[in-house]
Amino acid sequence: MVWGAMSSAGVGPLCFLRSKVNAAVYQEVLEHFMLPAADQLYGDADFIFQQDLAPAHSAKASSTWFKDHGIPVLNWQANSPDLNPIENLWGIVKRKMRYARPKNAEELKATIRATWALITPEQCHRLIDSMPRRIAAVIQAKGAPTKY
């Protein structure tokens, strides 16, 4: 599994995970990757963290971690369409990698890192800037799938 962060300013560092992600593992990722990414991408500016409702994300211990660190989390509805723009960013990464043929796990990681490094702040900004259109499309479709 790969964890990454983005904002309209660009992408943060990647974290490659070998174990199953439970609340404790997730909090380690937040501590060692999300916090530095937030410093890199936002500096002293305020931000709202967006995540889905994976069990490790919605665990009480993870909620407590965010509260203890003073980081607001976007309220995310259960069974809502996934409007997290990073999912689209992962799609871009996969499309850019489609002709890569890594021979082992280390080559795969290197390919993912190199592809991630090609993501521009403009691409991230466009994805985030599309959120009002995405939300309007979901509302118009009454929660049914949209082109996003």
Side-chain angles (χ1 to χ4, degrees), residues 100-130:
R101 298 291 178 253
K103 294 177 181 60
N104 55 48
E106 287 308 311
E107 285 185 16
L108 177 59
K109 285 182 190 178
T111 303
I112 293 168
R113 278 191 187 102
T115 306
W116 187 254
L118 296 173
I119 300 297
T120 66
E122 292 78 22
Q123 285 174 296
C124 295
H125 185 77
R126 278 194 303 271
L127 285 172
I128 291 169
D129 205 36
S130 71

Side-chain angles (χ1 to χ4, degrees), residues 73-99:
V73 177
L74 184 65
N75 189 14
W76 205 248
Q77 297 297 316
N79 302 318
S80 66
D82 193 353
L83 293 174
N84 191 335
I86 200 163
E87 298 301 333
N88 297 96
L89 189 61
W90 287 121
I92 291 168
V93 169
K94 288 176 187 174
R95 283 190 297 281
K96 287 179 182 256
M97 289 178 52
R98 78 176 144 235
Y99 299 114

Side-chain angles (χ1 to χ4, degrees), residues 5 8 23-24 31 34 40 46 58 69 80-81 84 91 95 106 114 116 122 137 143 147:
S8 61
E31 192 75 37
M34 190 279 285
Q40 172 193 333
D46 291 336
S58 58
H69 287 79
S80 66
N84 191 335
R95 283 190 297 281
E106 287 308 311
W116 187 254
E122 292 78 22
K147 70 178 183 174

Side-chain angles (χ1 to χ4, degrees), residues 14-107:
L14 293 174
C15 175
F16 292 88
L17 300 160
R18 289 184 173 194
S19 65
K20 186 174 179 180
V21 179
N22 58 27
V25 170
Y26 184 55
Q27 289 166 51
E28 287 293 313
V29 171
L30 295 171
E31 192 75 37
H32 299 289
F33 290 89
M34 190 279 285
L35 290 178
D39 285 342
Q40 172 193 333
L41 297 170
Y42 296 102
D44 290 334
D46 291 336
F47 67 96
I48 299 173
F49 190 74
Q50 183 177 2
Q51 60 186 357
D52 60 22
L53 290 176
H57 301 175
S58 58
K60 188 172 184 175
S62 296
S63 297
T64 300
W65 187 94
F66 281 105
K67 287 179 185 146
D68 290 348
H69 287 79
I71 299 170
V73 177
L74 184 65
N75 189 14
W76 205 248
Q77 297 297 316
N79 302 318
S80 66
D82 193 353
L83 293 174
N84 191 335
I86 200 163
E87 298 301 333
N88 297 96
L89 189 61
W90 287 121
I92 291 168
V93 169
K94 288 176 187 174
R95 283 190 297 281
K96 287 179 182 256
M97 289 178 52
R98 78 176 144 235
Y99 299 114
R101 298 291 178 253
K103 294 177 181 60
N104 55 48
E106 287 308 311
E107 285 185 16

